[in-house]
Amino acid sequence: MNKQHKVFVTGAAGFIGTKLVQLLLREGFSVRGLYHRKPPDWSNFGDINRRSEIEGSHDRLQFVQGDITSLESLRQAMEGCRYAFHLAGFAKNWARDFSIFTKINVDGMRNVFQVAKDQNYERIVWTSSIVTFGPTEPGTMADEASPRITEQYFTEYEKTKTVAEKEALQWATDGLPLVIVNPTRVFGPGPHTDGNALAGLIHDYISGKLFVMFNFGMNTGNYVFVDDVAQGHYLAMLKGRIGERYILGSENASLRQFYTYVEEVSGIRRRGLPIFIPGAMMIARLFVLWAKLAGGYPRISPGWVKTFATDWCHSSDKAKTELGYDPIPLKEAVRRTYEWLKEKNTQNPE
């Protein structure tokens, strides 16, 4: 990468995107970040030192408003850049109109790739998801070469990201200088959005709120700290092979183990409410029914329950070997998130 060339970032106001922008600026790059509705509020992200660094770097940071579903909007926003990170996506667990998943995750990706091709971009890193690999059989671990064990999709997000990834691989085959990264369950300092739901779980735990152990917390997932995912994106831009996928994860652990780490770093011991899958599905359906009738947003959905009731055990060895990716252990990620939450609660008591 030539630091004299500007880097274009979609989803720059998002959870991972904000961290990536911070990293690129620290590395000396000029960044043009695309946001859809409003520019990011830096007070919600990271620590004070990083915010100060961002706030003092506006000569190399430009935010432009745009829409990835509009080719004309993208042509204007992407003009003059040579590298692109496409992170923007619709990662909700439910939507009143499911067509928005395809519109953003598939059509929006296609638009970014088309403009990058037309404007002769040198390298593009696209953010896919671990969900495209599908769940794993109990006791097994999958990697980039492992086939999906089921054609069933639990959520519309999983379905559309899988469709998009198949198309992305074809774009790379046809000559687009594209590298794909597949983050696992990302969490860390930042807003409690769908993309950072685990930080919300930690917050609820230390706040004394009732927490639920789906399937008694026995199912395995792969967890990763948000700063490591941002670093993995950057390394993929520098070292990733065109047309390859790289899983960006850290540690495989059960939800029960995740809460054990929360207990250990916080010194707070709480008992979760164990619930079998049928009960969780009934609650999720009620949440969705309420959302449809009252116009709200369900905290959980049936697809979300099914996702957390299966195993998602994956390896990041390829990224470690080829990119030099080196994520921190899960317990340390939990500790850093807890310390940030504790400091934030002290500064802004409810």
Side-chain angles (χ1 to χ4, degrees), residues 102-247:
T102 297
K103 184 177 180 181
I104 295 178
N105 295 337
V106 182
D107 299 341
M109 178 204 72
R110 186 182 300 135
N111 289 340
V112 173
F113 290 175
Q114 186 62 59
V115 175
K117 179 180 179 181
D118 293 344
Q119 296 185 2
N120 297 314
Y121 269 58
E122 296 180 18
R123 181 67 68 96
I124 305 100
V125 173
W126 175 60
T127 310
S128 183
S129 170
I130 196 62
V131 298
T132 64
F133 293 101
T136 55
E137 297 283 2
T140 65
M141 183 162 59
D143 59 20
E144 292 85 351
S146 303
R148 281 185 67 99
I149 63 172
T150 175
E151 290 303 314
Q152 178 186 6
Y153 300 106
F154 297 137
T155 65
E156 200 67 18
Y157 175 73
E158 180 186 349
K159 178 180 178 180
T160 53
K161 290 298 280 190
T162 304
V163 169
E165 187 173 283
K166 290 178 181 177
E167 182 172 326
L169 290 168
Q170 187 59 52
W171 276 88
T173 299
D174 293 341
L176 189 72
L178 174 69
V179 180
I180 299 171
V181 292
N182 300 78
T184 59
R185 294 177 181 172
V186 189
F187 73 101
H192 303 164
T193 61
D194 286 275
N196 191 24
L198 293 166
L201 294 184
I202 297 173
H203 177 268
D204 289 350
Y205 179 96
I206 63 178
S207 299
K209 296 181 181 179
L210 179 68
F211 65 96
V212 173
M213 300 284 279
F214 292 116
N215 208 21
F216 289 81
M218 299 305 294
N219 294 102
T220 300
N222 190 286
Y223 302 85
V224 63
F225 194 55
V226 63
D227 288 33
D228 291 328
V229 174
Q231 181 73 19
H233 278 71
Y234 180 61
L235 292 170
M237 179 68 77
L238 293 179
K239 303 178 182 180
R241 290 186 289 139
I242 302 300
E244 293 293 325
R245 300 179 294 174
Y246 296 92
I247 295 173

Side-chain angles (χ1 to χ4, degrees), residues 205-338:
Y205 179 96
I206 63 178
S207 299
K209 296 181 181 179
L210 179 68
F211 65 96
V212 173
M213 300 284 279
F214 292 116
N215 208 21
F216 289 81
M218 299 305 294
N219 294 102
T220 300
N222 190 286
Y223 302 85
V224 63
F225 194 55
V226 63
D227 288 33
D228 291 328
V229 174
Q231 181 73 19
H233 278 71
Y234 180 61
L235 292 170
M237 179 68 77
L238 293 179
K239 303 178 182 180
R241 290 186 289 139
I242 302 300
E244 293 293 325
R245 300 179 294 174
Y246 296 92
I247 295 173
L248 302 181
S250 178
E251 189 174 324
N252 293 296
S254 67
L255 185 61
R256 181 180 294 276
Q257 181 63 62
F258 180 84
Y259 276 120
T260 297
Y261 287 147
V262 177
E263 177 184 325
E264 291 175 356
V265 302
S266 68
I268 301 170
R269 185 172 187 177
R270 303 197 190 284
R271 185 180 298 275
L273 175 65
I275 184 170
F276 287 108
I277 301 308
M281 288 293 290
M282 181 180 69
I283 294 171
R285 291 190 181 102
L286 290 173
F287 269 119
V288 170
L289 178 61
W290 165 81
K292 289 179 178 178
L293 295 176
Y297 181 75
R299 184 168 183 179
I300 62 173
S301 67
W304 190 91
V305 172
K306 291 177 183 178
T307 298
F308 277 85
T310 51
D311 290 336
W312 300 77
C313 186
H314 294 85
S315 168
S316 297
D317 285 351
K318 181 178 177 181
K320 293 177 182 178
T321 300
E322 296 190 15
L323 307 180
Y325 175 66
D326 186 24
I328 63 175
L330 175 56
K331 185 175 180 178
E332 176 62 16
V334 170
R335 186 191 67 78
R336 294 186 189 184
T337 305
Y338 164 71

